[in-house]
Amino acid sequence: MTQFVRSNTQNMADFESKEATVPTNAVAEEEQPLRSTQESATSVPAASTHVTRFDFEGQTAAPQDLEREHWTWNAEFIMAALAFATDYRYMLMFPYLCYSFGGSSFIILYGLFLLLFGVPILYMDISLGQFCGKGPVHIYNLSPLLRGIGVGMVVVTAISHPIHGVIASWSMYYLFQSGSSVLPWSTCSNEWNTASCIDDQTSFLNTTRDPYMFSRLSSPALEYFNNRVLQISSGIEESGGLRWELVGCRFATVLLAFAALFWGVKVIGKVMLVTVPLTFLLLLALFIRSMTLPGSLDGIQYLLMPYEGRLLQMQTWIYALLSALYAVGVASGTINTLASYKHFRSTALRDSFIVVGASLIVGIVSSLMMFGFFGALAEHRNMPVDHVADGGVSAVFTGLAEMVAQLPVAQFWSFALFFTLLLIGLHKQVLYAEVVITAVLDCLSRRSRLIRLIITFVVCGASFLFTLPYLSQGGMYFFVMVDASAMRLSPYILTFLQLITVGWIYGIEQLSRDIKMMTGLRPSVIYKFIWCILLPLLILLMFVDALRKQHRLGYNTYVFPIWADVMGWFISLVPLAPLPMFVVITLIVTRSRFQPVLSPKPDWGPADPTYHAEYQSRKSTNQSLTDKIKAVFSI
């Protein structure tokens, strides 16, 4: 493994030296990259006018388009991509998967799959967005018949957007409560507590430490989350009233997201440069604090203990691969969108390695932090670690919240924990909203600051309204249903079609030429083989396995009724609806205009007119299947 990492590091160094050098005139004209980054950044197409303010007087004059923005520095893109890759799963699900599927063995598999498959997918997504300078909806103009792939990705993101807003709302609510002189989830002496609640002052806790008996009771943090924060109903059939305190927190998070979004990526980049490092620093502080607690090493040992038998189980490999694919945002279109604001002449492969490497480190540190706290909580309760370790939202809002409440200066550490969660949620809110905003703007014939302001307001307002059902007393059941259903089918189908469309229909040879135009370096045979052959086969196998393992939806001991399962399947199919819709629309339109349905549209290519002309002069002609197969293995 060490040799593999050193080899990748050396390759990265070689890549930097090659990518930073423009080929000489001795290179064949077909392979010669275009002008430098500096030239691209300073040149402005004649038909475009840069607008830096609202110009209401000019609305009646001839349309003057707002030039599509770019990140000021590439570091802004890196921070935004890291904000996307670092989401709640590293604290809610990844630690749970680690100890459930082999401990350190699972972590090694996950890291290996991130390098083998996460980097290639990220590399492709960055390259596609950076090359055409458009979001996912327009990227798939490279094959108009399958344009529904990009639309489906935007739909997946739009469905997931309110879900992340719910967790951000919970985090903000806990953040406000962290200012209390006594944290309200630390004792059983509150009006929302029941007779089953136990804490350090409860005499029953001092007379028995039996795990079975303890499991039949409840902690003050669990009762606070269910009975005070959620005021959870008995089932999805009973939606109950809105939790207005949570609605207010949600409104505040929407305002914060709107403030970062309405002016464009120039502001988003600056926000990410500040908040992403701050999030990492807070995670590091929580990790260090967890390591100082008694019992934390027991939790770490429990997390990292390898279980050799788990490696022989297919589910361990499948979950490790799925976790790696989710980490790079398959089928979301977010990386495509972020990359579309990069300068044409900038890196792609190097950025992929940076994002994947940093994401892996954050995942490991978060898992160690979580199990450090779980180990301390187990010692506090005098119970085995496996009786307190948990996954999902309860891992943070009950388990970690309970342990933080036992620390000296508990208010400070509670603030640090939930401020970290709030930042993570706001990052996802901003980036997911930007995917939808960019998709709408790319469909308009003109741009202006006013138009972006209106679209941002509509997107943020719609997100707020769609979040309201999740903030009712039965909202937790809707949250579980949508969260499980949105990613049930679409990641497999959309990612499989993306790989087939780009690798075989558009052509891996043409994609290699496109990447060469941007970076001066063609992708290696290894990446082409992974894109065209290995990953499509693996995703197809995982899709079959996922269909085989489908089961009824539920939350804790509650099983959803049949109608809720049917609704869940309907939600699963919504992101796939654009696929047949755009097939029909494309066939009707192209039949009347005699246009090819699988070849790129005439406007497909770099957004800059100079680069677009160069692309048109160098793009490959129709290739046979044999030529495309040979291109996969050509250097």
Side-chain angles (χ1 to χ4, degrees), residues 80-87 89 327-329 332 334-335 338 428 431-432:
L82 282 175
F84 171 73
T86 307
D87 69 359
R89 75 179 178 280
V328 296
S332 72
T334 308
I335 296 298
L338 298 179
K428 300 294 284 192
L431 298 179
Y432 275 10

Side-chain angles (χ1 to χ4, degrees), residues 500-516:
I500 296 300
T501 302
V502 176
W504 293 102
I505 298 177
Y506 182 66
I508 197 63
E509 173 61 26
Q510 184 59 59
L511 178 65
S512 300
R513 293 186 182 187
D514 297 345
I515 295 175
K516 173 74 174 179

